[in-house]
Amino acid sequence: MKDKLVITSSPQFHNGDSTLTVMWSVSLALIPALVWGVAMFGLSSLWIVLVSIVSATFAEFILNKIYNKSSLWDGSAFLTGLLIGLNMPPQMPGLAWIYVPLGASFFAIFIVKGAFGGLGNNWMNPALGGRVFVFFSWTKHMTVWEVPMLDGVTGATPLGAVKSGLLGYSGSANNPLSLLNEVRDNSISYFDLFLGKIGGSIGEVSALLLLVGAIYLIIKKIIRWEIFASYLLTFTVFIWIFDGTRFGNGLFTGDILFHLLSGGLILGVFFMATDMVTSPISAKGMIIYGIGCGFLTFLFRVYGANPEGVSLAIIVMNIIVPIINRYSKPRLFGHNKKELENE
Amino acid sequence: MKLKSFPKGGIHPPHRKNSMYSKDDLNATIPSIAIIPLSQHIGAPAKCVVKVGDIVKEEDLIGESVGFVSANIHTPIPGEVIEIKDVYLPSGRVSPAVVIETKGEFTRLGKPLEVSSWEGLDKSELVDIIKRQGIVGLGGATFPTHVKLTLPEGVELEHLIINAAECEPYLSSDHVLMLEYSKEITTGLKILKKILDPKNIYVGMEVNKKDAGELLTNTFKEESLDASVVLLKNKYPQGAEKNLVRAIIGKEIPSGKLPLSVGVINLNVSTVYAIYEAVCLNRPLVERFVTIAGGAVKKPGVYRVRVGSTAKSLIEECGGLIEEPSKVIFGGPMMGFTVFDLDVPITKGTSGILALTKKEVNAAKTTNCLKCGRCVDGCPMGLLPSKLYKLIDHNKYDEALDEGLNDCVECGSCAYNCPAHLFLVQQFRSGKSIVRRSKGAK
Ligand code: SF4
Ligand code: SF4
């Protein structure tokens, strides 16, 4: 008995969650969206995701050797690789399907994460960092969306098509979807957007399956409502107020549904912005951060040069998290001067 | 009805209050050998007044209080002093202890006790009795009660708050006590009312003890005592002094101050019962209610236990172990102490003996902090535990103090939820003690 009893400082028990369960649960929650992407876009997309995961894990292995740590199986490297893969376009020319995801994963693990001391110390979401890195390095490969596997799927992503469609446009479409259907051969509906029968990154297209994963994580209390709720709310409010003006409809006519269902918003809101390590630490801070993400996403989407905006918005907010943390501390118990003076 | 609570933080660990008790068989077996530590309270250890070979009668004084913050120690059994030795306390500290082997006759056990009237006694006489009988706070802090009851000159007491929250998982000793001894508790409160003359008396408990609350409310009415039961949300750490006071009277005890600064004195409900026994039955504190529970225990139960019994004997009382425990804990799982064998004796401050299985403990490998913010959510004091942890890790004690290190009440809410399994509370404890030592050196 004596040598089996453990001596520890209190508390003596735990709710049972660990870094391991957190990371693997998030990965698990992304699997349905991955399966959909592969079914939609073909096996080539699966190879891209596998390259991402294997290279991220390999990079983590090297880091483990250098720092003499053992974080290989905590799931974080796997998750980074998976997220990078899901953010890749489904097909790439030549050998790009190897070096682009590999470049993104290496950058994510070695530079974004490793250089700052490993998991928990990075200030930017590694997967997003990796994605942006390859986006600027191989922009051409990262913006190819020629993957007509299903009826109704052609060419650019819906957001991209709307953006380019609006340039010099003088037709009568007064919302993004009808504009989209005017400039393309096949028509798509909101339901197609929701299911994911559209072009886009491997893992971002099916809003439905991403939401299934997200709900699982919300139930498991892994992703925080403070972040996704304030993000979504801010984003929809601004889109509703301003986006209609681009179609000449005036204020308060924006097409919320279209924007919610396209351009990787769901993936970004529920799986990237909620990354624990790179979001604020207090509930108050998380709400501020979510509002910032929502506003910037709106801004980049509607007025920016790129059609997307989710990744960039989150990265910009990641950068100012330390400032948010500083100004969103909870009040210390028993330290409120005013309250104490009044007594 | 709206339940009261403290406003920020707190966690919801599983209750697991599944200990059975039987009205007719509350008393645990009397130990044949009692190991009685002389340090069972905060403050200076009692001075031993017996020597090996001495014969003591039941409830005789064996340790004498020294100094202001100290308490008398009595023997729970009659017998012979066979040894005086150092033993490990549950906290891991070492204390001299008197070992007594049962011999001779029990003079009081099993006999009807005469209830003495106390109404004629004045305040200081009552406090004297409480001091003489070695009453200390039974919630776990074991602060000598007579010290608490001695109000500074000219101070009038606003509220007497009785802590019956029992917010730690597994523990149900106070619950059983209230169900079985509501009359006695009421009398104890009357005694306290006479000593302290508070404007209000509140008994705060989590709503999972509603039945005890109703019983007490009725008893107060029957005995015409002006006191009220306040039901609180089931949320840990509802029973931490600062949270309890905040929940009940809505005021925060300022950092570094005593409850008296907001007009409050706080006592545990078991302490009230001990006061009743001391004053009305002329009994010293040699017994208390203890919950024996945890997944490794065959039949979890609540018993009235003599101080000086060992964890081993109590677990046997409950049918023994059905599997190898991973931890044996004195106290609750949130703030209790682990021990490395079962021979550690029960002291006045022991509210529970828990034998937890590996599955209940849920230990896992520590990783880097994920900055998930769960510790921040859980902290009732508004601290940033992850930040404090880092500051102490980097030996930045002054910054840690600025961040409120000394406001940490070591409740463990932060660490309970931490997915990185960081030893947060341990870090804060060691940080505090380093700060204390460096201050002492200056
Ligand atoms: S709960 Fe643990 S992992 Fe999460 S922020 Fe606090 S210390 Fe870090
Ligand atoms: S142990 Fe200290 S830091 Fe942790 S939750 Fe309790 S008061 Fe806050």
Side-chain angles (χ1 to χ4, degrees), chain A residues 139-197:
Chain A
T139 311
K140 237 181 39 227
H141 300 336
M142 289 295 290
T143 48
V144 179
W145 310 105
E146 307 295 339
V147 275
M149 286 285 290
L150 288 168
D151 284 350
V153 180
T154 44
T157 65
L159 273 180
V162 168
K163 189 124 215 161
S164 51
L166 269 173
L167 295 173
Y169 180 71
S170 58
S172 60
N174 62 359
N175 66 54
L177 210 57
S178 55
L179 172 75
L180 204 58
N181 290 330
E182 211 171 284
V183 297
R184 299 168 23 145
D185 303 333
N186 296 312
S187 63
I188 61 168
S189 64
Y190 287 118
F191 198 60
D192 294 331
L193 280 174
F194 182 60
L195 284 183
K197 292 164 87 172

Side-chain angles (χ1 to χ4, degrees), chain B residues 150-197:
Chain B
T150 314
L151 285 177
E153 201 76 43
V155 170
E156 277 181 37
L157 186 64
E158 197 94 19
H159 317 278
L160 172 63
I161 294 183
I162 304 304
N163 190 345
E166 205 167 47
C167 56
E168 284 246 20
Y170 298 91
L171 301 188
S172 6
S173 317
D174 288 349
H175 194 180
V176 170
L177 176 81
M178 289 190 285
L179 289 176
E180 291 306 311
Y181 294 98
S182 63
K183 274 233 167 67
E184 288 77 1
I185 292 169
T186 309
T187 310
L189 285 176
K190 284 183 176 169
I191 297 169
L192 283 165
K193 192 172 175 178
K194 176 143 192 194
I195 298 173
L196 295 166
D197 192 27

Side-chain angles (χ1 to χ4, degrees), chain B residues 198-217:
Chain B
K199 293 206 183 76
N200 307 295
I201 302 176
Y202 300 108
V203 182
M205 66 185 76
E206 282 189 326
V207 66
N208 58 15
K209 287 171 271 294
K210 205 169 166 189
D211 51 350
E214 281 162 9
L215 181 64
L216 274 184
T217 308

Side-chain angles (χ1 to χ4, degrees), chain A residues 10-11, chain B residues 9-11 236-237 243 334-335 374-386 388 404-405 407-416 424-426 428-429 432:
Chain A
S10 65
Chain B
I11 54 169
Y236 179 86
N243 296 329
M334 295 304 299
M335 294 188 76
R374 292 183 187 184
C375 53
V376 180
D377 276 352
C379 181
M381 305 309 290
L383 296 162
L384 299 173
S386 56
L388 278 181
L405 175 62
D407 289 305
C408 169
V409 295
E410 301 177 14
C411 67
S413 302
C414 49
Y416 174 76
L424 295 162
V425 183
Q426 194 172 334
F428 304 153
R429 269 198 204 115
K432 281 187 198 173

Side-chain angles (χ1 to χ4, degrees), chain A residues 281, chain B residues 368-376 385-386 389 414 417-422 424:
Chain A
I281 196 140
Chain B
N368 284 352
C369 166
L370 297 180
K371 311 219 173 90
C372 65
R374 292 183 187 184
C375 53
V376 180
S386 56
Y389 184 90
C414 49
N417 277 333
C418 174
H421 285 252
L422 293 171
L424 295 162

